[in-house]
Amino acid sequence: MISRSLTTVLVTLATPVGLMAQEAGRGAMRPYVHVLLAYAVVWLLILLWVWMIARQLKRVGDRATPDGG
């Protein structure tokens, strides 16, 4: 599940790179760099948030079962 989500995120982040490669002319995406960076930061924060939730759920699950499994 997490690997599929990570693949989706990587493909989503790579899409603007593919569009930049197709643009004619050097620096065609320069005016949008701040937008692309903002998207990257948001995706990284979302991934961090999901990872923290998964870690907390594992911790709660381990506490719920006395034998740990």
Side-chain angles (χ1 to χ4, degrees), residues 11-69:
V11 167
T12 303
L13 289 175
T15 300
V17 175
L19 291 175
M20 285 184 345
Q22 293 176 3
E23 287 290 330
R26 185 174 174 164
M29 293 294 286
R30 189 171 304 241
Y32 304 106
V33 168
H34 64 286
V35 176
L36 298 176
L37 289 175
Y39 273 117
V41 168
V42 168
W43 276 111
L44 288 175
L45 289 174
I46 290 171
L47 287 175
L48 177 66
W49 180 56
V50 169
W51 176 73
M52 288 172 48
I53 290 172
R55 198 175 73 176
Q56 287 292 330
L57 283 173
K58 183 180 181 314
R59 192 176 298 160
V60 168
D62 288 346
R63 248 192 313 190
T65 56
D67 61 354

Side-chain angles (χ1 to χ4, degrees), residues 5-18:
S5 299
L6 184 59
T7 303
T8 303
V9 170
L10 290 175
V11 167
T12 303
L13 289 175
T15 300
V17 175

